[in-house]
């Protein structure tokens, strides 16, 4: 303390040339620094869980084919159906299952797609469940 006795009680120097830095900016220079840009995003991506795609057995595939046949027969009515289908993940293996309900307007046999009145297109190969009042009445005879 003996070395600083001459200056310890002097007033703080304020520059006449340079304005004082705002407190918020002064604090920012001591903020944490991310040395590895994108590291947090990469860790989150690896930790993100995807579902595996379930392979349908012969019976389930046959059931879906019958239901698609029923839909072709009532397509002119624009039946409202619910579809559960698999969406592959763009970044890693696996994906997720989604459910969509809408009025079916077309079944494209060449591209194997279900086309809905709102423009939604779902690949028939991604479908794992088909349902709806119109299908259920004809499929189950209810």
């Amino acid at each position: 303390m003996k070395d600083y006795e001459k200056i310890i009680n002097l007033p703080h120097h304020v520059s006449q040339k340079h304005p004082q830095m705002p407190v918020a900016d002064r604090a920012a220079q001591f903020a944490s620094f991310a040395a590895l840009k994108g590291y947090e995003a990469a860790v989150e991506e690896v930790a993100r869980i995807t579902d595996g795609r379930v392979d349908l057995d012969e019976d389930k595939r046959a059931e879906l084919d019958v239901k698609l046949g029923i839909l072709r027969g009532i397509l002119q009515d624009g039946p409202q159906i619910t579809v559960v289908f698999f969406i592959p993940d763009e970044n890693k293996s696996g994906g997720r299952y989604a459910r969509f309900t809408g009025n079916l307007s077309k079944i494209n046999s060449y591209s194997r797609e279900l086309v809905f009145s709102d423009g939604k297109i779902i690949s028939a190969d991604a479908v794992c469940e088909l349902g709806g009042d119109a299908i259920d009445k004809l499929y189950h005879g209810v």
Side-chain angles (χ1 to χ4, degrees):
M1 190 73 168
K2 184 171 129 180
D3 295 335
Y4 298 106
E5 283 179 6
K6 293 179 188 172
I7 63 170
I8 196 78
N9 292 321
L10 290 177
H12 177 71
H13 172 72
V14 177
S15 173
Q16 299 298 319
K17 287 183 177 180
H18 306 288
Q20 262 190 323
M21 181 184 286
V23 175
D25 291 344
R26 258 188 295 163
Q29 66 184 327
F30 298 105
S32 63
F33 172 69
L36 300 172
K37 285 204 179 271
Y39 177 74
E40 288 297 321
V43 168
E44 287 175 13
E45 177 62 23
V46 169
R48 187 172 55 86
I49 297 173
T50 58
D51 294 327
R53 186 171 186 169
V54 177
D55 287 330
L56 302 178
D57 62 15
E58 294 283 330
D59 293 337
K60 188 67 176 176
R61 287 179 196 219
E63 177 186 325
L64 287 174
D65 285 342
V66 169
K67 288 182 177 182
L68 283 172
I70 291 170
L71 286 172
R72 281 188 182 91
I74 59 171
L75 198 57
Q76 70 280 358
D77 299 335
Q80 185 179 55
I81 63 169
T82 299
V83 182
V84 177
F85 60 103
F86 186 77
I87 302 171
D89 194 275
E90 295 177 1
N91 299 320
K92 59 198 296 188
S93 64
R96 66 183 176 87
Y97 284 92
R99 179 180 303 272
F100 177 78
T101 300
N103 293 80
L104 188 64
S105 62
K106 182 179 178 183
I107 298 175
N108 189 330
S109 298
Y110 179 72
S111 62
R112 299 192 42 79
E113 295 174 331
L114 306 176
V115 182
F116 291 84
S117 60
D118 67 350
K120 175 84 170 167
I121 298 173
I122 298 174
S123 170
D125 297 326
V127 174
C128 63
E129 287 182 34
L130 279 173
D133 288 343
I135 295 174
D136 294 341
K137 285 179 185 172
L138 294 168
Y139 184 74
H140 295 294
V142 177

